[in-house]
Amino acid sequence: MTDLLSRIQFAFPIINNKVRCSNSDDEFTKILEEIKNLKINASVEEMVIYSIEQYINQVVAPIFWQQFVQNTPERSFEHFRKAVDGLYSSLTEFLPLMRRLEVLMQSREPSITSSDVLSKFKLLVRSALLSQLPLNHEVIVEYFYKIAFNVFCNSDNITHDTSQTDGSQCGGCNYKTENCQCQIIVYMFHETNRKLIELELLERLVGNVLTNLIHLRIKDHVKKLCSKSFDQSQLLPLEHWLETVVLSWLTRIYSGGSSKSMTLCSAVRAAINRFKQKLSHYLYEVYTRIRIEQLFNIIIEYPDSQPAVDDLRICLERTDLRKLLIETLQEALKTRLLHPGVNTPDILTAYIAAIKALRQLDPTGVLLETITEPVKIYLRSREDTVRCVVSGLLDDSPSDLADELVKGESLQLDDTSFDEDDESWQKWAPDPVDADPCKSSQRRMSDIISMLVNVYGSQDLFVNEYRTLLADRLLSQLNYHTEREIRHLELLKRRFGENQLHYCEVMLKDVYDSKRIDGNIQSDTTYSLEKQYFSTSALILSAQFWPPFKEDWKLELPEYVQNQLKKYVKAFEALKGNRTLCWKTHLGNVNLIIELKDRKIDINVTPIHATIILHFQDKPKWTLSELADVMHAPATVLRRKITFWLSQGLLKEVSPDTFTLQEESNSKHQLLTEIVEDEEVESAMTSASDQREEELQVFWSYIVGMLTNLDSMPLERIHQMLKMFASQGPGTVECGLPELRQFLDRKVREHELLFSGGLYKLPKS
């Protein structure tokens, strides 16, 4: 036995040093026969495997990894190929030894095959190589496959970008065109992959590098496609690119150069399918993240961007990025929309676009409810929100709000109960898990106008604002035409109900009656004989149905104008018996024909403008204080109004607050079209917010009484008690929960209330 072991020990140096002497095979065969007869082959097998393992660890692996040390990227392709070739050659020399080892192992276990021996040998190779990985090996491997991928894309004319290379370079290998190395690179690439596959090292050695490289390619390609407009769907082109470019390249890698996937074995085909699923999910995730970053712009461009919204809806079903979408879009809305630098109409336009786009993105309404909550809170803080909404509803030009009004759907408020009978139970579907169960009915039913009304929680503010705008329109027109206003009123009645708009119907009836009454007065021969200087027409209003007027001061008209108005009142009294008129002298329109030495001006102005210039007919020079005394008007208001006549060149300020009439124009070359318009026309009515503020003051005494008796109360309890005690009887004012919160918070800012721990209480005196 001792002699046999010594002979075995002599045989191993021959194997390890790769000595190929003529009698080595015969010697090893004799040893194996003797081992077989002595039945000690297990120990010899372990010694042979140990010797192979030592040789691979000490010789083969260091030589292979030496190609990766101090290697520049420009030389990586060639050195990686040489490293794989050297490794393949070194390991191929072990094949005769593997056949002998197979004989040795079969002597102990006849069921062992050559594949079992090779698998064990390859396992030794993998463990030896992976145990000695250098730090920078992935850089070399990545450059090798990056060059090969470029050549593959360029050769198949798939994604070649000519803008990155000049005309004298190949787009694949970056060599001069006359020295193109693409064919050589393709050949070496396939040979290298074939050898790595044969050694079962492809996945272990380059799998992570391939994944990272493909991920970078996918990200760059998606960014390139998404940088274009949003009016085209990109999912199908991306899936086609992934199939024809990325997966086709992977197939060639795993097939060792063959372009036909049918030549692949079932195991390799399964590996590619797994890779395809992972890459497809990564593609959707990258596309979703990029679209989420662009979602604000997508919303602004909606409905032109509907294909991008549809793509994002599909992606959200395959990825778990809803939370990221909510956080990103809310931050974009906050930084780009919800700040003082953006006009309220622009915010409303973006809000309406967000409603449409997010409903298309998520039909359940959960995303819309969550994302737009900060927008509703911010709109509630702006004083002109209601006026902008109502103006949009009454806009004659095409607009989102005007189109919504024409649809004629009924208004749905937050406190409207949801009738399940109105919806077929067969179409019912549960809300998503992140939905607020208290608002499911509103998500299903609320339209755009209802959502805008629900910003304030009450339709009273909108109806009052419409009354104010309607009054301004009727008072500013120079005729009695109301066809447009009647059409708008009928549309609004379908939304808000007839009871809410009864006052508006009376206002329009006043215009119709005024036209009839004025016609009767003008046809009265007695009035026609008495009137002098100018003709007068009046809009006769029922004061109790119109919004309150602003009456900080009363304009004093010239005496002959007042006399003419008295004659009109006399004619009205003769027509109506016991009724009379009370003039609003600061309202109306005056048509003036001004004749000067060098020009004649025909212009329509307000009564205060007309009164200013008429006084200069009596005296050519006036001071500001003199005009204020004569007209009973504040000097600050007159100063602003006189600016209009200064811009027209009719008046001139000769000294501070002293004005004189200019009979001749100083600017002979001034064009007639160069006329400075008057300042923005102010509303003659009290704003709806001011009216609402006065109405809400009715509740203040109730609130003070409740807090006096109960010390402190939460908002919900205050609201319930107000509905119980303060909202009884016809004609009472209603107050929604959001509006009540805003009212109480304003009282806190004014130090009339204290708020702590969710409770309101009165300050201690």
Side-chain angles (χ1 to χ4, degrees), residues 398-419:
S399 64
D400 293 324
L401 285 176
D403 294 340
E404 285 292 320
L405 183 62
V406 173
K407 293 180 181 179
E409 299 177 4
S410 59
L411 198 65
Q412 299 294 334
L413 301 181
D414 284 340
D415 56 355
T416 302
S417 61
F418 176 63
D419 186 4

mmCIF file of all heavy atoms in Angstrom, residues 398-419:
data_model
loop_
_atom_site.group_PDB
_atom_site.id
_atom_site.type_symbol
_atom_site.label_atom_id
_atom_site.label_comp_id
_atom_site.label_asym_id
_atom_site.label_seq_id
_atom_site.Cartn_x
_atom_site.Cartn_y
_atom_site.Cartn_z
ATOM 1 N N PRO A 398 -65.218 79.988 -26.045
ATOM 2 C CA PRO A 398 -65.086 78.601 -25.592
ATOM 3 C C PRO A 398 -64.131 78.485 -24.407
ATOM 4 O O PRO A 398 -63.016 79.004 -24.427
ATOM 5 C CB PRO A 398 -64.527 77.885 -26.829
ATOM 6 C CG PRO A 398 -64.909 78.749 -27.981
ATOM 7 C CD PRO A 398 -64.882 80.159 -27.467
ATOM 8 N N SER A 399 -64.584 77.838 -23.362
ATOM 9 C CA SER A 399 -63.772 77.626 -22.169
ATOM 10 C C SER A 399 -64.262 76.368 -21.472
ATOM 11 O O SER A 399 -65.360 75.873 -21.738
ATOM 12 C CB SER A 399 -63.850 78.826 -21.220
ATOM 13 O OG SER A 399 -65.159 78.993 -20.721
ATOM 14 N N ASP A 400 -63.429 75.842 -20.564
ATOM 15 C CA ASP A 400 -63.785 74.607 -19.865
ATOM 16 C C ASP A 400 -65.023 74.787 -19.009
ATOM 17 O O ASP A 400 -65.923 73.937 -19.001
ATOM 18 C CB ASP A 400 -62.605 74.160 -18.993
ATOM 19 C CG ASP A 400 -61.410 73.741 -19.829
ATOM 20 O OD1 ASP A 400 -61.634 73.154 -20.898
ATOM 21 O OD2 ASP A 400 -60.271 74.000 -19.425
ATOM 22 N N LEU A 401 -65.088 75.892 -18.276
ATOM 23 C CA LEU A 401 -66.231 76.103 -17.390
ATOM 24 C C LEU A 401 -67.513 76.349 -18.180
ATOM 25 O O LEU A 401 -68.589 75.856 -17.814
ATOM 26 C CB LEU A 401 -65.948 77.281 -16.456
ATOM 27 C CG LEU A 401 -64.962 77.003 -15.320
ATOM 28 C CD1 LEU A 401 -64.688 78.265 -14.531
ATOM 29 C CD2 LEU A 401 -65.488 75.917 -14.405
ATOM 30 N N ALA A 402 -67.412 77.135 -19.258
ATOM 31 C CA ALA A 402 -68.599 77.385 -20.078
ATOM 32 C C ALA A 402 -69.114 76.089 -20.700
ATOM 33 O O ALA A 402 -70.332 75.854 -20.762
ATOM 34 C CB ALA A 402 -68.280 78.408 -21.159
ATOM 35 N N ASP A 403 -68.210 75.231 -21.137
ATOM 36 C CA ASP A 403 -68.628 73.943 -21.693
ATOM 37 C C ASP A 403 -69.277 73.060 -20.631
ATOM 38 O O ASP A 403 -70.243 72.339 -20.916
ATOM 39 C CB ASP A 403 -67.423 73.225 -22.300
ATOM 40 C CG ASP A 403 -66.867 73.970 -23.515
ATOM 41 O OD1 ASP A 403 -67.604 74.791 -24.090
ATOM 42 O OD2 ASP A 403 -65.699 73.731 -23.871
ATOM 43 N N GLU A 404 -68.750 73.097 -19.403
ATOM 44 C CA GLU A 404 -69.347 72.315 -18.321
ATOM 45 C C GLU A 404 -70.747 72.812 -17.989
ATOM 46 O O GLU A 404 -71.641 72.025 -17.682
ATOM 47 C CB GLU A 404 -68.455 72.391 -17.076
ATOM 48 C CG GLU A 404 -67.202 71.560 -17.150
ATOM 49 C CD GLU A 404 -67.494 70.076 -17.145
ATOM 50 O OE1 GLU A 404 -68.385 69.651 -16.390
ATOM 51 O OE2 GLU A 404 -66.846 69.337 -17.901
ATOM 52 N N LEU A 405 -70.929 74.143 -18.048
ATOM 53 C CA LEU A 405 -72.242 74.702 -17.732
ATOM 54 C C LEU A 405 -73.290 74.256 -18.744
ATOM 55 O O LEU A 405 -74.445 74.003 -18.397
ATOM 56 C CB LEU A 405 -72.148 76.227 -17.689
ATOM 57 C CG LEU A 405 -73.422 76.970 -17.295
ATOM 58 C CD1 LEU A 405 -73.846 76.586 -15.884
ATOM 59 C CD2 LEU A 405 -73.216 78.474 -17.403
ATOM 60 N N VAL A 406 -72.900 74.137 -20.009
ATOM 61 C CA VAL A 406 -73.845 73.742 -21.053
ATOM 62 C C VAL A 406 -74.318 72.304 -20.852
ATOM 63 O O VAL A 406 -75.431 71.947 -21.250
ATOM 64 C CB VAL A 406 -73.189 73.931 -22.442
ATOM 65 C CG1 VAL A 406 -74.078 73.376 -23.539
ATOM 66 C CG2 VAL A 406 -72.899 75.401 -22.690
ATOM 67 N N LYS A 407 -73.506 71.466 -20.197
ATOM 68 C CA LYS A 407 -73.895 70.071 -19.993
ATOM 69 C C LYS A 407 -75.161 69.950 -19.151
ATOM 70 O O LYS A 407 -75.905 68.983 -19.301
ATOM 71 C CB LYS A 407 -72.755 69.301 -19.323
ATOM 72 C CG LYS A 407 -71.527 69.142 -20.212
ATOM 73 C CD LYS A 407 -70.443 68.373 -19.478
ATOM 74 C CE LYS A 407 -69.202 68.222 -20.355
ATOM 75 N NZ LYS A 407 -68.120 67.501 -19.637
ATOM 76 N N GLY A 408 -75.382 70.892 -18.250
ATOM 77 C CA GLY A 408 -76.636 70.930 -17.501
ATOM 78 C C GLY A 408 -76.772 69.884 -16.431
ATOM 79 O O GLY A 408 -77.887 69.524 -16.056
ATOM 80 N N GLU A 409 -75.673 69.356 -15.895
ATOM 81 C CA GLU A 409 -75.782 68.381 -14.818
ATOM 82 C C GLU A 409 -76.146 69.079 -13.515
ATOM 83 O O GLU A 409 -75.850 70.254 -13.314
ATOM 84 C CB GLU A 409 -74.454 67.627 -14.656
ATOM 85 C CG GLU A 409 -74.047 66.856 -15.904
ATOM 86 C CD GLU A 409 -72.708 66.182 -15.724
ATOM 87 O OE1 GLU A 409 -72.160 66.253 -14.609
ATOM 88 O OE2 GLU A 409 -72.214 65.598 -16.698
ATOM 89 N N SER A 410 -76.794 68.344 -12.620
ATOM 90 C CA SER A 410 -77.180 68.926 -11.342
ATOM 91 C C SER A 410 -75.968 69.055 -10.441
ATOM 92 O O SER A 410 -75.002 68.290 -10.537
ATOM 93 C CB SER A 410 -78.234 68.053 -10.661
ATOM 94 O OG SER A 410 -77.727 66.748 -10.454
ATOM 95 N N LEU A 411 -76.034 70.031 -9.541
ATOM 96 C CA LEU A 411 -74.923 70.315 -8.644
ATOM 97 C C LEU A 411 -74.860 69.277 -7.542
ATOM 98 O O LEU A 411 -75.877 68.908 -6.963
ATOM 99 C CB LEU A 411 -75.094 71.711 -8.035
ATOM 100 C CG LEU A 411 -73.853 72.348 -7.411
ATOM 101 C CD1 LEU A 411 -72.813 72.612 -8.473
ATOM 102 C CD2 LEU A 411 -74.223 73.629 -6.692
ATOM 103 N N GLN A 412 -73.643 68.767 -7.249
ATOM 104 C CA GLN A 412 -73.450 67.780 -6.189
ATOM 105 C C GLN A 412 -72.543 68.376 -5.136
ATOM 106 O O GLN A 412 -71.370 68.632 -5.393
ATOM 107 C CB GLN A 412 -72.827 66.494 -6.756
ATOM 108 C CG GLN A 412 -73.671 65.807 -7.808
ATOM 109 C CD GLN A 412 -74.958 65.265 -7.242
ATOM 110 O OE1 GLN A 412 -75.042 64.960 -6.056
ATOM 111 N NE2 GLN A 412 -75.977 65.148 -8.077
ATOM 112 N N LEU A 413 -73.091 68.611 -3.935
ATOM 113 C CA LEU A 413 -72.319 69.168 -2.846
ATOM 114 C C LEU A 413 -71.803 68.064 -1.947
ATOM 115 O O LEU A 413 -72.236 66.918 -2.008
ATOM 116 C CB LEU A 413 -73.166 70.165 -2.042
ATOM 117 C CG LEU A 413 -73.703 71.352 -2.855
ATOM 118 C CD1 LEU A 413 -74.498 72.269 -1.957
ATOM 119 C CD2 LEU A 413 -72.575 72.104 -3.531
ATOM 120 N N ASP A 414 -70.853 68.428 -1.058
ATOM 121 C CA ASP A 414 -70.217 67.432 -0.195
ATOM 122 C C ASP A 414 -71.193 66.752 0.743
ATOM 123 O O ASP A 414 -71.000 65.611 1.138
ATOM 124 C CB ASP A 414 -69.104 68.087 0.634
ATOM 125 C CG ASP A 414 -67.879 68.336 -0.211
ATOM 126 O OD1 ASP A 414 -67.754 67.689 -1.253
ATOM 127 O OD2 ASP A 414 -67.056 69.185 0.164
ATOM 128 N N ASP A 415 -72.249 67.470 1.141
ATOM 129 C CA ASP A 415 -73.190 66.875 2.074
ATOM 130 C C ASP A 415 -74.328 66.132 1.385
ATOM 131 O O ASP A 415 -75.293 65.720 2.010
ATOM 132 C CB ASP A 415 -73.778 67.951 2.990
ATOM 133 C CG ASP A 415 -74.440 69.078 2.194
ATOM 134 O OD1 ASP A 415 -74.339 69.042 0.964
ATOM 135 O OD2 ASP A 415 -75.028 69.977 2.815
ATOM 136 N N THR A 416 -74.212 65.938 0.061
ATOM 137 C CA THR A 416 -75.238 65.192 -0.670
ATOM 138 C C THR A 416 -75.061 63.704 -0.416
ATOM 139 O O THR A 416 -73.986 63.149 -0.586
ATOM 140 C CB THR A 416 -75.126 65.476 -2.177
ATOM 141 O OG1 THR A 416 -75.253 66.870 -2.380
ATOM 142 C CG2 THR A 416 -76.205 64.751 -2.926
ATOM 143 N N SER A 417 -76.105 63.062 -0.005
ATOM 144 C CA SER A 417 -76.034 61.625 0.251
ATOM 145 C C SER A 417 -76.024 60.856 -1.051
ATOM 146 O O SER A 417 -76.599 61.267 -2.050
ATOM 147 C CB SER A 417 -77.219 61.187 1.115
ATOM 148 O OG SER A 417 -78.427 61.458 0.438
ATOM 149 N N PHE A 418 -75.392 59.719 -1.008
ATOM 150 C CA PHE A 418 -75.255 58.888 -2.206
ATOM 151 C C PHE A 418 -76.349 57.826 -2.237
ATOM 152 O O PHE A 418 -76.488 57.036 -1.304
ATOM 153 C CB PHE A 418 -73.870 58.232 -2.214
ATOM 154 C CG PHE A 418 -73.664 57.286 -3.354
ATOM 155 C CD1 PHE A 418 -73.697 57.733 -4.653
ATOM 156 C CD2 PHE A 418 -73.443 55.939 -3.112
ATOM 157 C CE1 PHE A 418 -73.504 56.862 -5.692
ATOM 158 C CE2 PHE A 418 -73.254 55.077 -4.151
ATOM 159 C CZ PHE A 418 -73.275 55.538 -5.443
ATOM 160 N N ASP A 419 -77.111 57.860 -3.260
ATOM 161 C CA ASP A 419 -78.199 56.896 -3.410
ATOM 162 C C ASP A 419 -77.696 55.706 -4.205
ATOM 163 O O ASP A 419 -77.455 55.801 -5.406
ATOM 164 C CB ASP A 419 -79.386 57.562 -4.111
ATOM 165 C CG ASP A 419 -80.604 56.642 -4.154
ATOM 166 O OD1 ASP A 419 -80.519 55.537 -3.572
ATOM 167 O OD2 ASP A 419 -81.615 57.041 -4.758
#
